[in-house]
Amino acid sequence: TLSLHDALPISAIAFLETQGVPTPFATAIIRLLLGSICGGLIGLEREVKGRPAGLKTFSLVCMGATLVMVTNEFIYVNVANSTGDSARMAAQVISGIGFLGAGTIMTTGNDRVKGLTTAAALWVTAAIGIAIGTGFCFGGIAGLIVLYLSSFTYRYIDAVIVAKSRIMRIYVEGESEEFMLNLVGFFQKNEIRIISLVRKDENKWFLKDSAATIEMDLGRKRSHLEILDEIRKMKELRYIEEV
């Protein structure tokens, strides 16, 4: 069977041992470095997208989870008369990471929830750190690879599904109430059923502007981009986005 020590990059440990670093310390150093790198790679993908938690945050989360498990192993193996479950600290990391995830979730002024993916990625990063911290480095690296592959794959699938969905939700701002009436007329003309229309007066740019979040049923498969382009041609439009 493969031991925890064998699961680590043996050449890196051997190099540190030649430099006079004891094997347990060399193992801990390699695990922490690997945890920091894996977390940083996940954070890099988030930072490129301009998300609230980026490279440094993810690197710290993964390295912190790794350090917790390295410390847990040290206590369990080396501290005399140590008792308890060796996986207890891992459970605390998984539950404790929730406060970081909650801090990345926010609701924008147009009722759009953002940060859920970042929060989930933080949770997965902590799990990867736990795997590396216990010495299961293959599992941590495999988790990193699967995370990247699924992220890019699901992003493409999600874009295709949303683009062809009958349900469309937009946030729109106009320069007057007349614009909103014209917009409703546009929907009626194109047989687009309004499911809900919520006024957002607190988000208006100017005093006389009108703002609303509108959810609608297109009735049949239509291009969301074409509908947005048609609305952008309307007079007195201030701002529009699909949410």
Side-chain angles (χ1 to χ4, degrees):
T1 58
L2 189 67
S3 68
L4 296 182
H5 181 272
D6 291 335
L8 287 168
I10 304 300
S11 58
I13 295 176
F15 172 77
L16 290 176
E17 289 175 342
T18 60
Q19 304 302 311
V21 180
T23 299
F25 294 164
T27 300
I29 290 172
I30 297 301
R31 290 180 187 178
L32 289 171
L33 287 174
L34 188 57
S36 178
I37 293 171
C38 287
L41 289 174
I42 298 173
L44 181 62
E45 187 265 345
R46 295 279 88 195
E47 188 154 318
V48 167
K49 296 181 180 178
R51 297 303 186 256
L55 191 149
K56 185 184 294 184
T57 302
F58 277 84
S59 178
L60 290 174
V61 166
C62 195
M63 186 179 68
T66 302
L67 180 59
V68 167
M69 296 312 298
V70 170
T71 304
N72 185 80
E73 181 181 321
F74 178 83
I75 294 173
Y76 189 74
V77 174
N78 297 287
V79 177
N81 301 319
S82 62
T83 59
D85 185 0
S86 61
R88 181 173 297 176
M89 292 182 73
Q92 298 303 315
V93 170
I94 291 297
S95 60
I97 200 67
F99 83 94
L100 277 179
T104 66
I105 301 173
M106 65 187 74
T107 304
T108 63
N110 51 17
D111 288 339
R112 184 178 183 182
V113 178
K114 301 183 68 175
L116 285 173
T117 303
T118 299
L122 280 170
W123 188 86
V124 174
T125 301
I128 290 174
I130 290 173
I132 294 172
T134 58
F136 186 36
C137 296
F138 173 79
I141 295 173
L144 173 66
I145 294 172
V146 171
L147 187 149
Y148 258 89
L149 290 176
S150 61
S151 176
F152 288 110
T153 302
Y154 291 144
R155 188 192 316 165
Y156 172 76
I157 294 174
D158 185 61
V160 172
I161 293 174
V162 170
K164 295 183 177 181
S165 173
R166 283 181 47 178
I167 304 301
M168 185 177 180
R169 196 165 183 258
I170 63 172
Y171 172 76
V172 64
E173 296 179 2
E175 297 179 5
S176 67
E177 290 296 328
E178 184 179 355
F179 166 79
M180 200 62 64
L181 293 173
N182 291 335
L183 182 61
V184 173
F186 168 80
F187 293 148
Q188 292 175 344
K189 180 180 178 181
N190 289 273
E191 299 180 345
I192 296 174
R193 183 173 66 89
I194 297 177
I195 299 174
S196 66
L197 191 155
V198 181
R199 301 302 295 265
K200 294 289 181 179
D201 292 339
E202 69 275 12
N203 299 330
K204 297 191 302 184
W205 290 18
F206 299 96
L207 185 62
K208 296 182 179 180
D209 277 7
S210 58
T213 298
I214 305 172
E215 185 175 7
M216 48 202 171
D217 184 347
L218 304 182
R220 61 178 186 273
K221 289 184 179 181
R222 305 189 190 187
S223 170
H224 291 200
L225 290 177
E226 289 181 3
I227 293 175
L228 290 174
D229 288 339
E230 288 295 322
I231 297 175
R232 289 190 179 101
K233 296 176 183 178
M234 297 176 63
K235 295 181 180 180
E236 298 187 336
L237 173 69
R238 181 83 69 183
Y239 176 79
I240 185 172
E241 72 166 329
E242 185 172 5
V243 296

